[in-house]
Amino acid sequence: MARPVVHWEIGAQDAVRLRRFYAALFDWELTGDPDYGLVAPSDGGIGGGILQTRQGMPSYVSFYVGVDDLEAVLERAASLGGRTLVAPMPIQGIGSFAMFSDPEGNAIGIMAETPEQSGE
């Protein structure tokens, strides 16, 4: 079975400005703190977030794919020409995530839910 896209993310150098832009453009309601604004899933679409990037970090647009084993996917990505960008990190109450670049340099995220979150 193919792995689903479960989340999207926009990294912004001025997240406050970008949150206002997307809220006005698409009528999105963003919740969360100034560093990470969340858009809830609606009308069959997936949710996402707008992240305040750190100094020196470029703006970006990425998506996250749901997987069972972050380390295994990072290893497979590396064997296929990718590169780990962010090692697995926990997300409180959700699970964990990591990021890799594909052979073209695009940043792609992967997420693994904790068993409590996935209903197992």
Side-chain angles (χ1 to χ4, degrees):
M1 180 171 137
R3 298 293 179 182
V5 174
V6 296
H7 187 77
W8 54 263
E9 185 171 81
I10 301 170
Q13 294 180 5
D14 185 345
V16 171
R17 180 180 61 142
L18 216 56
R19 286 171 69 161
R20 283 194 305 261
F21 172 83
Y22 282 109
L25 181 64
F26 296 129
D27 295 323
W28 288 351
E29 183 178 330
L30 288 107
T31 60
D33 60 49
D35 289 334
Y36 203 93
L38 286 168
V39 178
S42 66
D43 298 325
I46 61 172
I50 298 176
L51 166 80
Q52 175 63 54
T53 59
R54 297 180 305 274
Q55 186 161 350
M57 186 177 177
S59 298
Y60 66 90
V61 175
S62 190
F63 61 89
Y64 288 77
V65 177
V67 302
D68 296 325
D69 186 336
L70 297 175
E71 289 289 351
V73 172
L74 292 173
E75 288 173 17
R76 180 142 170 83
S79 76
L80 296 169
R83 180 172 67 86
T84 298
L85 298 174
V86 177
M89 296 181 67
I91 307 169
Q92 186 174 348
I94 295 173
S96 54
F97 82 99
M99 293 189 87
F100 65 91
S101 63
D102 66 18
E104 293 286 324
N106 299 300
I108 309 300
I110 50 178
M111 294 181 78
E113 292 182 321
T114 57
E116 312 83 68
Q117 300 304 317
S118 63
E120 293 177 10

